[in-house]
């Protein structure tokens, strides 16, 4: 059998002959093996039972292909022939049919079903799809049965040079520093070719430069663009932008290859190869002598051919008589030098200044410039004379005066003068915004500050005022100066107790027992610190029950002079204590200490003191005041509560106003105990149960109806009109089955009309009746309670199969359930 296509057999005869011999040997071996069993169709499993053993038949393949080759971009008018498929099952009798499937089968690729010739129907592009995978089989035309197993093969496209190189970008942008050496890399361009790089030279590219000579060159293999001129020829200040055109040619640059181009824009970046230079060598400015520090005098300009950071510069004053009077800085936006005043100017002292200013770059590139690449300029500044305000000889004044100084006493003096060449007279005054109480004044002619009122250091220790100096000739020219006045302390305050002491003594104590330690305070502030002395007042030394012991540390102890005290005999003692300071002139005061006599426990803790002793104290404590306030609040709450309860006990009428009447709707529609289970309540009766009980006992009639003694009406007689809001059923509905029901409803209507505890006048009570017509008659149990006779339920058997279960339940005898 044949194992290759016709085309492959023609090209590889020797290999095909060997394969044919091998296949022939395998076939003979299979035939000899199958001779022991039953022969089956090719490619199918056969079984032969020989000596009780099950055997399998080997699968035979009649054809196999690996791949076909087809050239892309076929331009012929006929179908392009690919190859031939042939099976050993094809004996030339026309019974064999070749079937093709897979990628493009039937559309791109077709097969002659009679002879197996394979063709391509249209031109194919390898760059779109390089190969196709197809499958082929052979079937019997009559039965449709497969004669050969399906075999897969590949159709590959041979590449031709039909695609030109293309760059990844249409336009490239690159940069290189100016004054770069020859061969400095600028940028790399990359092109690709869609043709097959593994077949021939269709995708082998070579780069060349078509525009950009002689400044740049390109590597033919890598596409790297480099500089082609030396540093002296690549100067950004002469030319900054270049446009270079690069070509990429396939076929390794040979004749007949395809070409692609791209544009590369190259910019020379700046380097610091130019120093800054002043526009002019001499600058002149004027400035007022009244200009404050930081005031701008003028601007000087320097230029630099470089750009960006390479053009940044800074200025400095290197010499001249105004180095200390002026400063210079650089404007970051304009790169100009800004000269400003650093100290106050005075035309009378110096009318002009001259300075030398230097400029240089902030960053210097040593490859192109030396550290001395700088420029110099001369600046002359003239100071203009101005009418200046008076000038004080001090920036501020500090004055001291004793707090007991008399009115009109001098505190100090200030001095100011006109700094101009024409010395104008100066007068002085107090800025009253700083002396609202008018404590001070100043003599206008000499600037002497004196008192207008008495001062007290303990009230205010410092006074800050402002003195104004004004020119006589020009009152608009004035200046202020702060004056700080400190009051010197004198000993004009006597010491007193540091706090109010609450002192007690136990009835049983010891002589010499300390019951209290006292201290003192003084509003004065002596320079050496406070020194207090404590002693018992002379009027208290005679028959004194207590004594005072000075501790020498500005405190004193109060001691007992006997062992026992009686709160019944005397509950309060007053101890006068004299407190003296140690300053000059000496000041003293007498403080009275109140001592209560109390009952104490063994540890000396107070248990009980007389009430009068409490009342005799200078004042109540905070805790006592809070307790009294709480008691008052509690009493007030009790009074308010009793008043409210008393008001609630007063009886109110059943109906206070028309708004208290409630609209009740009573509905009798449940299946429970009937209408008697539903009751309506008067809201007034709920609020006043006593009054409601009185109404019930009096059995008053309703005010909106006429009472009657008739409770029941004849069955077939229509009742009188009911109360408003009661709905009665029609008379015509009465039958032989509903007479009792009508009487029951009528009786309920009368009961509601005559019952004073019935719902309010505009209430609605509804009594509904189902009517007649049921075959089973009424099932109501209203009348069953009054009848003790046994019921007969045999008629349920006549109602049909639907009521059979009910008839079995009610129609059975009592003995059936025993």
């Amino acid at each position: 059998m044949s194992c290759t296509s016709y085309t492959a057999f023609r090209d590889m005869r020797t290999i095909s002959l060997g394969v044919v011999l091998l296949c022939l040997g395998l076939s003979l071996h299979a035939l000899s093996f199958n001779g022991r069993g039953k022969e089956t169709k090719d490619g199918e499993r056969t079984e032969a039972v020989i000596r009780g053993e099950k055997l399998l038949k080997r699968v035979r393949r009649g054809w196999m292909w690996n791949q076909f080759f087809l050239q892309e971009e076929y331009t012929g008018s006929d179908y392009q022939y690919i190859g031939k498929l042939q099976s050993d099952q094809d004996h030339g009798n026309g019974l064999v049919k070749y079937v093709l499937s897979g990628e493009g089968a039937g559309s791109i690729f077709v097969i002659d079903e009679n002879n197996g010739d394979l063709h391509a129907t249209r031109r194919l592009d390898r760059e779109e799809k390089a190969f196709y995978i197809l499958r082929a089989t052979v079937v019997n035309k009559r039965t449709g049965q497969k004669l050969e197993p399906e075999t897969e093969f590949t159709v590959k496209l041979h590449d031709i040079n039909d695609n030109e190189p293309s760059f990844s970008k249409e336009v490239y942008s690159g940069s290189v520093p100016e004054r770069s050496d020859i061969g400095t890399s600028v940028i790399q361009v990359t092109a690709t070719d869609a043709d097959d790089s593994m077949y021939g030279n269709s995708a082998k590219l070579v780069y060349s430069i078509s525009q950009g000579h002689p400044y740049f060159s390109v590597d033919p293999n890598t596409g790297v663009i480099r500089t082609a001129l030396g540093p002296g020829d690549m100067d950004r200040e002469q030319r900054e932008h270049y446009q270079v055109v690069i070509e990429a040619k396939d076929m390794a640059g040979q004749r007949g290859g395809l070409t692609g181009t791209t544009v590369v824009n190259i910019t020379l970046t700046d380097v610091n190869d130019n120093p800054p230079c002043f526009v002019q060598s001499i600058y002149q400015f004027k400035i007022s002598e009244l200009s404050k520090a930081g005031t701008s005098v003028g601007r000087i300009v320097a230029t630099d051919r470089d750009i960006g950071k390479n053009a940044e510069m800074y200025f400095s004053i290197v010499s001249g008589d105004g180095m200390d009077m002026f400063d210079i800085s650089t404007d970051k936006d304009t790169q100009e030098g800004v000269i400003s005043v650093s100290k106050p100017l005075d035309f009378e002292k110096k009318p002009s200044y001259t300075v030398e200013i230097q400029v240089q770059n902030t960053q210097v590139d040593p490859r192109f410039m030396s550290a001395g690449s700088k420029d110099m300029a001369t600046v002359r500044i003239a100071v203009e004379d101005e009418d200046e305000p008076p000038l004080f000889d001090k920036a501020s004044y500090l004055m001291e005066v004793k707090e007991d100084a008399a009115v009109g006493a001098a505190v100090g003096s200030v001095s100011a003068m006109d700094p101009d060449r024409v010395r104008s007279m100066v007068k002085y005054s107090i800025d009253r915004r700083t002396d609202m109480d008018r404590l001070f004044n100043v003599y206008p002619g000499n600037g002497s500050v004196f008192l207008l009122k008495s001062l007290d250091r303990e009230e205010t220790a410092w006074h800050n005022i402002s003195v104004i100096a004004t020119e006589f000739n020009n009152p608009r020219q004035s200046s202020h100066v702060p004056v700080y006045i400190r009051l010197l302390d004198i000993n004009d305050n006597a010491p007193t107790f540091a706090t109010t002491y609450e002192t007690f003594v136990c009835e049983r104590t010891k002589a010499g027992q300390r019951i209290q330690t006292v201290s003192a305070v003084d509003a004065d502030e002596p320079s050496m610190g406070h020194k207090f002395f404590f002693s018992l007042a002379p009027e208290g030394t005679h028959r004194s029950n207590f004594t005072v012991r000075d501790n020498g540390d500005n405190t004193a102890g109060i001691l007992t002079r006997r062992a026992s005290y009686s709160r019944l005999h005397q509950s309060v003692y007053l101890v006068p204590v004299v407190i003296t300071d140690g300053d000059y002139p000496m000041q003293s005061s007498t403080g009275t200490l109140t001592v209560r006599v109390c009952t104490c426990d063994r540890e000396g803790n107070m248990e009980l003191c007389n009430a009068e002793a409490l009342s005799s104290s200078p004042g109540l404590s905070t805790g006592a005041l809070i307790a009294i306030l709480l008691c008052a609040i509690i009493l007030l709450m009790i009074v308010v509560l009793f008043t409210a309860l008393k008001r609630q006990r007063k009886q109110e009428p059943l109906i206070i106003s028309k708004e208290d009447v409630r609209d009740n709707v009573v509905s009798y529609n449940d299946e429970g105990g009937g209408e008697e289970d539903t009751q309506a309540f008067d809201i007034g009766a709920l609020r006043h149960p006593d009054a409601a009980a009185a109404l019930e006992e009096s059995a008053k009639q309703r005010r909106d109806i006429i009472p009657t003694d008739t409770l029941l009406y004849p069955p077939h007689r229509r009742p009188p009109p009911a109360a408003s809001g009661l709905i009665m059923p029609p008379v015509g509905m009465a039958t032989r089955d509903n007479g009792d029901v009508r009487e029951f409803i009528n009786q309920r209507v009368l009961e509601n009309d005559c019952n004073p505890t019935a719902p309010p006048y505009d209430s609605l009570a509804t009594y509904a009746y189902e009517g007649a017509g049921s075959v089973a008659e009424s099932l109501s149990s209203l009348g069953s309670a009054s009848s003790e006779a046994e019921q007969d339920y045999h008629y349920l058997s006549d109602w049909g199969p639907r009521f059979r279960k009910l008839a079995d339940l009610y129609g059975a005898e009592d003995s059936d359930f025993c």
Side-chain angles (χ1 to χ4, degrees), residues 659-729:
E659 295 179 357
D660 288 340
V661 179
R662 302 296 188 267
D663 296 343
N664 297 333
V665 178
V666 183
S667 177
Y668 301 87
N669 56 359
D670 61 348
E671 298 180 1
E675 290 80 2
E676 293 181 355
D677 287 350
T678 304
Q679 295 294 334
F681 298 96
D682 185 8
I683 194 66
L686 292 177
R687 290 183 174 178
H688 309 283
D690 297 338
L695 289 175
E696 185 176 358
E697 291 176 2
S698 61
K700 294 181 180 180
Q701 298 295 330
R702 286 180 55 171
R703 291 176 291 176
D704 62 336
I705 65 171
I706 300 175
T708 178
D709 296 335
T710 305
L711 296 179
L712 298 176
Y713 288 88
H716 301 287
R717 182 180 177 183
R718 185 174 182 176
S724 62
L726 297 177
I727 301 175
M728 295 297 297

Side-chain angles (χ1 to χ4, degrees), residues 10 139 637 657 677 751:
R10 182 187 59 188
V139 299
M637 293 177 62
S657 64
D677 287 350
E751 289 178 357

Side-chain angles (χ1 to χ4, degrees), residues 497 500-519 536 544-549 551 556-565 570-577 592-598 600 603-606 609:
F497 279 133
T500 301
Y501 296 99
E502 296 182 359
T503 308
F504 72 93
V505 62
C506 297
E507 289 184 312
R508 294 182 180 182
T509 184
K510 298 178 181 180
Q513 180 72 33
R514 186 181 65 181
I515 62 173
Q516 184 69 55
T517 300
V518 295
S519 60
L536 193 62
S544 176
N545 295 284
F546 302 91
T547 183
V548 177
R549 177 186 297 173
N551 298 326
I558 310 301
L559 309 178
T560 59
R561 297 190 68 175
R562 52 193 177 91
S564 62
Y565 298 85
Q570 184 176 352
S571 61
V572 176
Y573 292 90
L574 300 179
V575 181
V577 179
T592 301
L593 187 66
T594 302
V595 182
R596 295 179 294 161
V597 181
C598 302
C600 302
E603 288 76 14
N605 299 321
M606 180 180 62
C609 295

Side-chain angles (χ1 to χ4, degrees), residues 44 55 103 153 184 214 273 306 352 360 393 453 503 550 619 638 649 786 815:
E44 296 181 355
L55 301 176
E103 296 178 343
F153 60 96
T184 302
D273 57 344
D306 298 321
S352 64
Q360 61 183 9
D393 58 356
K453 295 181 181 179
T503 308
D550 194 329
I638 293 175
R649 290 181 180 177
S786 62
S815 59

